[in-house]
Amino acid sequence: MRHTRPLVFWLATTLLLSALPSPAATLADVTMPDRIDAGGNTLVLNGLGLRNKFIVKVYVGGLYLAAKESAPAKILTAESPRRMAFHFLYSVKKQQMCDAFSEGLEANTPNANAEVKKNFSTLCTYLEDIPKGNTMNVTFVPGQGIQVEVNGKVKGTLFGKPTADAILATWIGPKPPTEDLKNGVLGGK
């Protein structure tokens, strides 16, 4: 009987700790969870990347997918949920975000159709100034659309997989903001 109590304590502690969510990755002092829920789907953290502009650390981006994948073409063609999550390390103005999305669309989806271009204009209306320490999520769930959340508030929903692909291509397409960011979210170092 003497050894029962330590064994019970050890089992209870082990079960409790295994039930707690564990952080998957930390970059630039930003930790993102290893799993999230997106529209009733469990997504796993594919990787983290840092967006630098000159010497400024702008944000840490995390790409969440249904299953880990490092090939941009496979990610973009998959009909599965995904999220780009951002934690800002530097305050960014709304217009800077709008300009970045426009540049990303032009650089990575130069033949975007009129609907995609219209959706990017609508996306810009959802944005707002993002202070240092705040977040933005862009989540695509097939059949539900692309939900844009800024500073903890849902700002709106866009529709169409071509739009979802064009948005994600701004970070993992052939001309990302930086190769380090792209490599990081694709699971590289």
Side-chain angles (χ1 to χ4, degrees):
M1 268 309 180
R2 281 180 139 174
H3 300 289
T4 305
R5 184 171 282 166
L7 179 61
V8 170
F9 177 77
W10 180 82
L11 284 171
T13 303
T14 302
L15 288 172
L16 177 64
L17 291 176
S18 67
L20 295 174
S22 60
T26 300
L27 178 63
D29 294 326
V30 173
T31 301
M32 292 194 182
D34 62 343
R35 296 183 189 290
I36 60 160
D37 177 75
N41 301 282
T42 299
L43 303 181
V44 297
L45 182 62
N46 198 62
L48 293 177
L50 180 62
R51 168 63 165 116
N52 288 309
K53 187 156 186 169
F54 306 112
I55 60 168
V56 175
K57 293 177 181 176
V58 181
Y59 60 75
V60 171
L63 176 60
Y64 287 88
L65 302 170
K68 290 194 176 220
E69 178 57 62
S70 61
K74 286 183 180 180
I75 294 167
L76 293 170
T77 58
E79 190 69 40
S80 58
R82 57 190 180 220
R83 173 181 288 169
M84 273 297 294
F86 304 91
H87 181 96
F88 286 80
L89 303 171
Y90 187 81
S91 295
V92 178
K93 297 288 185 193
K94 174 183 177 173
Q95 192 57 52
Q96 291 173 303
M97 292 296 296
C98 290
D99 292 345
F101 274 113
S102 293
E103 291 167 11
L105 176 64
E106 187 176 312
N108 294 288
T109 313
N111 299 319
N113 65 34
E115 180 184 359
V116 170
K117 290 178 182 178
K118 179 180 176 237
N119 282 337
F120 265 68
S121 293
T122 302
L123 172 62
C124 191
T125 68
Y126 295 162
L127 301 176
E128 60 186 55
D129 293 350
I130 303 177
K132 176 182 176 179
N134 284 26
T135 61
M136 180 174 81
N137 293 317
V138 180
T139 307
F140 170 65
V141 177
Q144 295 179 26
I146 307 129
Q147 186 178 73
V148 180
E149 180 185 319
V150 180
N151 298 332
K153 297 175 282 194
V154 174
K155 302 298 283 188
T157 303
L158 301 167
F159 296 95
K161 185 159 184 316
T163 298
D165 294 347
I167 291 172
L168 186 57
T170 64
W171 298 288
I172 68 168
K175 296 179 182 176
T178 67
E179 286 296 324
D180 287 342
L181 174 64
K182 177 180 176 177
N183 291 337
V185 300
L186 291 176
K189 302 291 182 222

